[in-house]
Every structure is written in structure tokens, then in C-alpha cells.
Amino acid sequence: MFSAASRHLVRTFNLQKKTIVSKPLVHFDKSNAQWRSGLNRFYNTEVKPVDFEAKYVEKIKAIAKREGLTVEELKKKIKDEAEKKLKNSESVKKNIVPKTTKKATADTIAAKSKLPYDSSAPTLDKLVKLDLLEKETPENIAKIWNAGHANKDCITAVIPSNIYDALYKRSQEYPMFVVPMPREEGVEFFFLQFNFHQCNFTSLLEYKTKGSEARPFLTLTHFPELQKSKGIVLMKGEINKDPRMLDTANAQFLAFALQQFYVTGGEEKLKLVEKFQKHPAEFDFQDLIKAVETLV
């Protein structure tokens, strides 16, 4: 759900001061050094190298005779064959394309969001009879959509086309952000990441701990199937129950905050999203908290 690149971005931020520890990184064991220096006593520097050619001269002559060559011709043949094998092996190495892990960045995530609709995301025809909705007015579709999910453990919305166009465009430019949500004891930061027409939320603590394996606490799925014909985009927000970390009020706040920072909240809020993406080292969480206070 969450990419490794976003984890690298999160690491850029200093949420708390770090203390410098004077403890050495490597513990030097003097007894180990003495043991290693003692090894030198076992080396005999007077030992002469073995003359393998003299040792196996009779065998070399026998092989040369069997192949109808002189000893010198046999040596040259062996040398030529060895050089040929070496060249062939080097040629093979050049043709092998090593597997490389492309380092994910905010730009690659943004590029990925421009690809066609993610096949893993649900489509509207799996939830409703799309042909019947096409016959209704936008107003009736909104009523049917919201009423149909009224007794379900999720949140829904009907987004005007122009608002969603702006949201989707900016989600490609700025696929990651953090939203502070007021709690009884201060605020809790939630990390969000877009993936095509979906947006996943998890706690910043969860993401810093587990990275790309972090569980999405909330997934907002936008359905653009009716955008051209009816001028609306349907949204459904599903709360993860394994374990459940948010209630519907929390989910509604995160969805509202998303809309405010990316589209409807004005230039100052959008600048925070842009700074988080492009200049993370300059991002100030206190400015973010002040911006959220205007939402509550």
C-alpha cells in the first residue's frame, strides 16, 4: 500500500531533538588484537615455492606425446585456450543485465499515479448497477449513493467534477502528505499516500515503524465512472478493522482535511502540501498544526 520512497521522505523530518551519544560505535577488543599478532609466529618466511613444472615434467611430456606435440607447443596450446575462454567469459558478463532496484522517489510515485486505473482497486460496477445509475440525475444518484451506505461502517461523498479534477491533478504532483488529527491528548499525525484514484491513510508512527508494510487505517476510493456523463465522482471510505484504529468521525475528519489541503482550503494550505513534497527539510509541523486548527 505504501511505498519505500515515502518512508525516505518521512525520515527527512525532525519531529524531536536528537541527543548525541559519545559512546564509540565499535568496541575494540585488545585481547583479540594480541591473538591476531601472535599468529605471525607460525609463518615461516623461508619456505620456497613449489616448482610444479619440474614436479610434473614426466606427465607433461606424456600428454604432449599423446597429442603429437612438443612440450612447448602443448604449453602454447594450453595458454591460447585459456585466453580464449577468458575472453568468452568477459563477453558473457557484458551481455548480462544486472538486476537493479530502482530507488523510488516522490517523482516516481507521481509518475506511477499517471498510469491507467489500478486494476487492484474496486470499480463502481462491482458495487452498483451502473446502467441504472446512468438513467438518474446527479441529485438522485447522490441520494441513492449516500442512502445505500447509511447503515454500513464507512463514509461516502459525492464530489463535483471540477473539485475532483483539481484533487486528482494535485495528487499526481503531491502524492504524499501528513495530516494532524486532534485527539484528547494533543494531536496524532496521519500519513497519506495516493495511488491512482485511491488514497490510503495510516498513522505516521505506524509508517515510520513498518514502512511499506504499514497497515492502511483508512482507504478512500474515488469512482470516476460517472464524471463525464453526470459531472460527479462518487467516493467511499473504508475503515480497516484489523485492528480498528479509527471511528467514522475520525475518517470524516481525515477526508475533509484532505479536501481542504489539496483543493478547497486556499493557497496557504496548498503551499504546505507543496513544501512537504518539494522541500521536506524546510517543512514546519507547527505551521501544519496551526492550519488544522482552522478546520476544527
Side-chain angles (χ1 to χ4, degrees):
M1 291 293 183
F2 297 94
S3 70
S6 46
R7 190 177 192 183
H8 172 73
L9 185 66
V10 168
R11 285 197 188 117
T12 310
F13 306 113
N14 294 319
L15 298 181
Q16 57 185 3
K17 294 182 179 179
K18 298 179 179 178
T19 45
I20 299 174
V21 182
S22 58
K23 184 179 179 181
L25 296 176
V26 179
H27 176 66
F28 182 67
D29 189 346
K30 292 184 178 179
S31 62
N32 188 44
Q34 291 169 356
W35 176 80
R36 287 184 177 275
S37 63
L39 287 177
N40 293 328
R41 292 177 298 173
F42 296 95
Y43 290 115
N44 185 349
T45 57
E46 306 251 336
V47 176
K48 295 180 181 179
V50 177
D51 186 349
F52 288 99
E53 187 172 337
K55 185 176 180 180
Y56 297 104
V57 64
E58 295 302 324
K59 289 185 177 182
I60 293 172
K61 286 180 179 180
I63 294 171
K65 184 178 180 181
R66 187 170 65 245
E67 296 191 12
L69 302 170
T70 65
V71 171
E72 292 304 318
E73 288 174 338
L74 178 62
K75 289 180 181 178
K76 187 177 184 305
K77 180 183 178 183
I78 293 171
K79 182 180 178 182
D80 291 344
E81 288 179 351
E83 289 178 351
K84 186 177 180 181
K85 287 181 179 179
L86 180 61
K87 287 181 180 179
N88 289 337
S89 65
E90 289 177 348
S91 176
V92 170
K93 286 181 181 179
K94 288 180 181 178
N95 292 328
I96 294 175
V97 179
K99 291 183 179 180
T100 56
T101 303
K102 187 176 180 181
K103 185 176 180 181
T105 63
D107 291 335
T108 59
I109 295 171
K112 182 181 176 184
S113 66
K114 296 177 183 178
L115 296 173
Y117 198 90
D118 187 4
S119 59
S120 65
T123 52
L124 190 58
D125 60 344
K126 300 291 177 60
L127 303 179
V128 298
K129 292 183 178 180
L130 195 53
D131 56 334
L132 294 180
L133 280 187
E134 287 281 7
K135 298 176 183 178
E136 300 290 341
T137 63
E139 292 76 18
N140 283 342
I141 292 172
K143 291 177 182 177
I144 293 169
W145 180 251
N146 291 326
H149 294 88
N151 297 322
K152 296 180 181 179
D153 190 19
C154 62
I155 62 172
T156 57
V158 179
I159 306 171
S161 180
N162 63 320
I163 298 294
Y164 187 70
D165 278 341
L167 175 62
Y168 187 68
K169 179 182 177 182
R170 288 168 184 169
S171 73
Q172 294 178 34
E173 294 180 74
Y174 318 121
M176 297 172 286
F177 192 51
V178 285
V179 175
M181 184 168 69
R183 294 287 201 181
E184 292 182 3
E185 300 177 357
V187 295
E188 181 179 6
F189 287 95
F190 281 83
F191 176 77
L192 69 85
Q193 183 172 324
F194 282 93
N195 181 29
F196 301 94
H197 294 285
Q198 285 188 316
C199 182
N200 292 299
F201 290 82
T202 190
S203 73
L204 187 58
L205 178 61
E206 170 92 1
Y207 188 78
K208 289 181 72 176
T209 304
K210 299 182 180 179
S212 58
E213 299 300 317
R215 301 159 299 173
F217 292 175
L218 170 67
T219 299
L220 303 182
T221 302
H222 300 92
F223 301 95
E225 286 89 337
L226 297 171
Q227 187 173 8
K228 288 185 179 180
S229 61
K230 301 297 178 179
I232 55 175
V233 173
L234 305 182
M235 186 277 285
K236 180 179 180 181
E238 296 179 279
I239 302 168
N240 192 343
K241 299 177 182 178
D242 187 28
R244 186 184 176 97
M245 305 298 289
L246 300 172
D247 57 28
T248 52
N250 299 147
Q252 287 170 346
F253 174 83
L254 292 174
F256 177 67
L258 170 69
Q259 179 181 311
Q260 284 283 303
F261 278 102
Y262 275 77
V263 187
T264 59
E267 286 298 317
E268 291 303 314
K269 289 183 175 65
L270 183 59
K271 284 180 181 178
L272 288 172
V273 177
E274 183 179 359
K275 183 180 285 189
F276 181 89
Q277 194 77 45
K278 296 184 177 180
H279 309 288
E282 301 173 12
F283 190 80
D284 190 340
F285 277 80
Q286 291 303 318
D287 291 341
L288 180 62
I289 292 172
K290 289 178 182 178
V292 167
E293 288 174 353
T294 64
L295 303 181
V296 181

